[in-house]
Amino acid sequence: MVDSTIRVATDVGGTFTDLVCFEIAGKTGQSTVSTAKSATTPPDYETGMMNVIEKAGVDLARVNYLAHGTTVVINALTERKGVKVGLITTEGFRDTLEIARGNRPDFFNLHYEKPPPFVPRYLRCELPGRMTYQGEEMRPLILDGLVDIINGFKDEGVEAIAISYLHSYANPAHEQATESAVRELWPEVRVVSSHSIAREWREYERTNTAVLSAYVQPVAEGYLRRLDEKLKANGFGGSPYVMQSNCGVDTLEAIARTPITMIESGPSSGIWGAAELGKLIGDPNVLALDIGGTTAKCSLIENGNIRIVTDYWIEKSRKSSGYPVMVPVVDLVEIGNGGGSIAWVDDYGKLHVGPQSAGAVPGPASYGKGGTEATTTDANLLLGRINKDYFCGGEITADMANVEKTIGNIGKKLGVDTREAARGIVRIANNSMVNALKLVSLNRGFDPRDFTLVAFGGGGGMHAVALAQELGVGKIIIPANSAVFSAWGMTMSDLRRDYFVTCLADLNQGTAEHIEETFREAEKTALEQFAGENIDRGEISFTRFAKLRYQNQEHTTEVELKGAIAGEKISNIVDSFKEVYEREYTYRLDAPVEMVGIHLVAVAEVGKLSLPARQTTGRDISTAVKEVREVDYALEGIHEATTYDGSRLEPGMAFEGPAIIEEEGTTIVVHPGNRTVVDDYGNYIITI
């Protein structure tokens, strides 16, 4: 038997669990790609993963590499299914968590109430001791009261403890001493110290991050342990990698210690995949759009670089300030608009789509599983954009009677017929997605016309052309296997860790040595961590960024740095900052520039794939034609569209719209007059 390398990636989404499997022949290097989808199975998400592995026919005993992305952390937070947490903090600062920030998104609401903290006041305790912002001990730590605190936590049923002290980002000694004492007094409890997650200033954000990490740790750790056990029981001999929010994977052991780092695990893998695909085909400037069953996520990629931020918030909306999470997260905008988003009419007769979702159960009305609400998927079915006779790859018989009924009910409330109601649902869903794409492009000083739109997820190809036309984008890429593209992105990911360290310094030649030393210390920490996991120094590469601002400003702009920091390079760094700042904010200031912190990216390659071109048979494109049918394009009216079988389209084949491409997991809608070409890797290149 020919030796082969098998790499598997699974992505647990809100509606479906996706799988991609690459089998690469040892002698020829030829790869075979297989994909599968199955329903997500909350709360036992590992069951859904094993289901999709079984459905794909993957023999785990032969798998060399397995990566996994999951929504378990974000779901535990949004559904409030974590554990009871106790907080230990600096004397006088127990209410930092409740004071929060003064931002009031619902500005004119004088009765606005901040979202309640995850730790109530009676579980927030203090200990004497204090560091200065420079990391010097102002008052010694006194642990005399810790025994009473621990006993109180035990009486209240606390399962995890968060420790967050003032200025521990500069000197974590007090947190380390407290954590050590807690583990000695109560070995069974989970303990999370803020310095182990974030080494940046901003007391509230760092404290809240430690609390949220403690809140989800038992849940996430239990999930990862069960997953590992099931994989091993089914023959997997390795250790799985877990996708993080920073577009890199990490070991299961490392993630289990700080599971909050996988809060946006699924979306980040799709964004990473879009960046890698852009590099592969020579389009490094990309607008990435992931449309799934529950949400749509988008991000901007410039010159192949993905922006990673630490000012991420959950549950932030026009009416709530939400909760900060200070971990490295891909910079994206997420909206509640996907295939399962529910259409509804408010008391004023206005049509809305989302953010509520029908999920996988009962699902859209067309699933025939008891759904009583019309969704975006149902509207696409009624308009003929999705083939009712090939729904979900032929696995589901579309309940068109229920589709007519539910969309008809929407139409009655609006005073229009059923078809016009369906058109309205599609157009409003598109409008919401266009606004999201504008937030990551126009609002940050980028012209979307300078970018290529890469759309993926089950609904990406359905809406991509309409969105591109609205934004003026001239080129669209629908990746091969786009329905499971986020899982594909994991197979292209490296083992990655981001280190953020506060380093306040005026940007001048006199501070160059101090800045360089801060980077070296972060690199030393990274190398020690990787060495502890038997990763060779030669496999590790570093990329440096600086978080800069004009003196006395509140927030920062990140700039990439090249090479070691030396005095003569400072002026170049200042010029780069001003250029980036002007692009984003439209102006420059004649003011000193200061550094607020460093951002170090440490990457170790774990066998990332390089994709070979697809083979062709030389058959004619006519062999891929399934039928010609009427399709309603919502804005362009009804057209006779040629329907193609995506599995029979080969590199080099080309055609013009109106057309529909049908694949097992997705449908691509090509509007009238738009040209489509299949490239060497099986991606669909659509030009407006």
Side-chain angles (χ1 to χ4, degrees):
M1 187 175 70
V2 177
D3 291 334
S4 62
T5 299
I6 300 178
R7 296 170 63 88
V8 174
T10 58
D11 175 36
V12 179
T15 306
F16 292 105
T17 296
D18 302 337
L19 176 143
V20 170
C21 175
F22 284 87
E23 182 166 0
I24 306 164
K27 292 182 178 179
T28 64
Q30 190 172 353
S31 66
T32 303
V33 183
S34 57
T35 66
K37 272 180 176 285
S38 69
T40 295
T41 56
D44 302 319
Y45 297 99
E46 67 276 10
T47 301
M49 178 175 168
M50 299 311 297
N51 289 344
V52 78
I53 289 173
E54 182 181 355
K55 183 177 180 180
V58 172
D59 181 1
L60 285 171
R62 298 179 59 217
V63 172
N64 307 92
Y65 170 95
L66 190 147
H68 179 57
T70 177
T71 58
V72 65
V73 168
I74 190 65
N75 288 345
L77 291 172
T78 57
E79 297 170 10
R80 302 298 190 271
K81 291 183 178 178
V83 300
K84 185 177 280 191
V85 177
L87 172 65
I88 301 175
T89 189
T90 303
E91 188 175 51
F93 288 85
R94 70 188 290 201
D95 292 325
T96 295
L97 207 61
E98 197 152 358
I99 294 169
R101 294 291 171 193
N103 54 327
R104 193 171 73 200
D106 196 1
F107 192 76
F108 295 103
N109 178 9
L110 300 181
H111 301 286
Y112 172 75
E113 294 184 9
K114 295 176 183 177
F118 275 69
V119 181
R121 196 170 195 270
Y122 74 94
L123 291 178
R124 304 197 299 261
C125 300
E126 303 172 346
L127 285 174
R130 184 160 174 178
M131 295 287 184
T132 69
Y133 74 95
Q134 294 173 319
E136 300 168 353
E137 188 176 74
M138 179 186 292
R139 289 198 297 271
L141 177 67
I142 301 174
L143 294 173
D144 295 350
L146 186 59
V147 173
D148 291 337
I149 291 173
I150 295 298
N151 289 335
F153 285 167
K154 288 180 178 179
D155 292 341
E156 294 294 343
V158 166
E159 296 180 56
I161 295 174
I163 303 170
S164 181
Y165 288 151
L166 198 66
H167 304 309
S168 63
Y169 60 86
N171 186 343
H174 285 180
E175 284 192 357
Q176 290 167 341
T178 305
E179 181 175 340
S180 178
V182 169
R183 293 187 187 280
E184 187 175 333
L185 291 167
W186 193 3
E188 302 81 17
V189 77
R190 269 74 166 199
V191 188
V192 176
S193 295
S194 71
H195 76 272
S196 65
I197 304 172
R199 293 296 299 269
E200 293 186 273
W201 65 5
R202 300 193 186 280
E203 203 65 22
Y204 164 59
E205 286 81 357
R206 189 161 47 80
T207 301
N208 193 74
T209 303
V211 164
L212 295 189
S213 191
Y215 181 77
V216 300
Q217 184 164 0
V219 175
E221 190 179 335
Y223 166 73
L224 293 173
R225 186 183 65 252
R226 294 192 305 272
L227 177 63
D228 195 36
E229 289 171 353
K230 285 198 172 187
L231 289 171
K232 284 181 168 58
N234 284 272
F236 182 56
S239 180
Y241 289 98
V242 181
M243 192 70 194
Q244 302 179 94
S245 308
N246 65 353
C247 295
V249 295
D250 208 341
T251 61
L252 187 144
E253 293 78 12
I255 290 288
R257 290 193 295 270
T258 55
I260 197 72
T261 58
M262 60 176 181
I263 190 168
E264 285 289 4
S265 172
S268 69
S269 59
I271 304 302
W272 178 258
E276 288 294 300
L277 179 60
K279 294 175 188 175
L280 183 69
I281 63 177
D283 277 309
N285 293 326
V286 166
L287 276 171
L289 176 66
D290 177 5
I291 306 176
T294 306
T295 60
K297 284 85 64 176
C298 57
S299 184
L300 182 139
I301 300 158
E302 183 188 19
N303 294 325
N305 295 319
I306 296 171
R307 187 180 179 191
I308 304 296
V309 298
T310 56
D311 57 346
Y312 175 75
W313 296 69
I314 64 168
E315 300 182 13
K316 190 173 185 177
S317 68
R318 290 179 297 173
K319 295 187 176 181
S320 174
S321 57
Y323 301 90
V325 183
M326 191 181 268
V327 294
V329 177
V330 59
D331 186 19
L332 56 80
V333 170
E334 183 170 356
I335 59 171
N337 250 294
S341 294
I342 294 171
W344 54 284
V345 179
D346 65 21
D347 294 338
Y348 301 97
K350 182 180 178 182
L351 177 62
H352 301 263
V353 179
Q356 301 88 352
S357 174
V361 179
S366 50
Y367 278 20
K369 296 180 180 178
T372 59
E373 306 285 352
T375 68
T376 307
T377 293
D378 300 319
N380 280 313
L381 268 166
L382 191 139
L383 296 176
R385 295 153 65 91
I386 298 176
N387 186 351
K388 63 182 176 60
D389 298 320
Y390 190 64
F391 188 38
C392 295
E395 291 189 8
I396 297 177
T397 301
D399 187 347
M400 294 307 296
N402 201 25
V403 169
E404 293 272 358
K405 177 182 176 182
T406 54
I407 298 180
N409 291 338
I410 295 289
K412 289 176 184 176
K413 293 177 182 178
L414 296 171
V416 299
D417 63 29
T418 303
R419 178 173 290 274
E420 195 60 38
R423 287 173 174 166
I425 292 169
V426 170
R427 289 168 63 182
I428 286 178
N430 285 346
N431 187 66
S432 297
M433 295 175 201
V434 164
N435 288 337
L437 288 165
K438 287 179 179 178
L439 287 174
V440 298
S441 57
L442 289 169
N443 280 30
R444 295 173 185 173
F446 295 97
D447 188 336
R449 293 173 296 184
D450 297 332
F451 290 77
T452 296
L453 179 63
V454 176
F456 49 95
M462 186 74 57
H463 300 270
V465 175
L467 305 181
Q469 289 179 161
E470 178 70 20
L471 289 167
V473 172
K475 184 177 180 181
I476 304 150
I477 301 173
I478 309 298
N481 303 310
S482 64
V484 293
F485 189 70
S486 288
W488 182 87
M490 290 180 209
T491 67
M492 305 297 290
S493 296
D494 297 312
L495 196 154
R496 169 175 172 151
R497 289 172 189 164
D498 290 67
Y499 299 84
F500 291 85
V501 181
T502 293
C503 175
L504 190 61
D506 292 332
L507 205 58
N508 55 51
Q509 291 192 11
T511 60
E513 186 176 342
H514 171 59
I515 295 169
E516 176 64 22
E517 182 60 28
T518 305
F519 272 112
R520 285 178 183 163
E521 284 295 320
E523 289 174 358
K524 180 183 176 183
T525 299
L527 290 173
E528 288 173 351
Q529 290 181 357
F530 282 124
E533 296 164 23
N534 298 317
I535 296 171
D536 187 75
R537 171 65 181 90
E539 299 175 357
I540 302 166
S541 62
F542 294 111
T543 307
R544 294 176 168 190
F545 298 88
K547 302 183 80 168
L548 307 172
R549 67 183 183 184
Y550 285 114
Q551 200 171 68
N552 298 323
Q553 285 189 328
E554 174 67 8
H555 295 287
T556 61
T557 298
E558 192 167 273
V559 176
E560 184 176 355
L561 307 179
K562 302 292 186 181
I565 309 300
E568 63 272 14
K569 289 187 177 181
I570 294 295
S571 60
N572 295 335
I573 297 172
V574 171
D575 291 341
S576 296
F577 162 74
K578 290 184 175 181
E579 182 181 334
V580 174
Y581 188 94
E582 184 177 17
R583 185 193 63 210
E584 191 158 345
Y585 299 105
T586 73
Y587 65 90
R588 297 187 184 206
L589 293 177
D590 184 17
V593 177
E594 64 182 359
M595 173 177 276
V596 172
I598 70 161
H599 174 196
L600 178 71
V601 179
V603 171
E605 193 168 300
V606 287
K608 185 165 64 176
L609 284 175
S610 57
L611 293 182
R614 288 195 174 187
Q615 301 296 312
T616 60
T617 64
R619 62 180 174 230
D620 189 81
I621 192 172
S622 60
T623 62
V625 176
K626 295 177 72 173
E627 63 176 344
V628 176
R629 71 170 192 266
E630 282 192 350
V631 174
D632 193 323
Y633 284 85
L635 282 175
E636 294 104 322
I638 299 173
H639 293 266
E640 293 285 327
T642 304
T643 304
Y644 294 92
D645 181 349
S647 66
R648 297 186 65 81
L649 290 172
E650 296 182 350
M653 290 184 175
F655 54 88
E656 289 195 4
I660 300 290
I661 305 170
E662 293 182 351
E663 294 192 345
E664 188 174 339
T666 190
T667 298
I668 296 117
V669 177
V670 183
H671 288 232
N674 297 319
R675 180 172 174 78
T676 301
V677 177
V678 184
D679 75 1
D680 291 342
Y681 303 99
N683 306 304
Y684 302 112
I685 313 298
I686 305 172
T687 50
I688 303 298

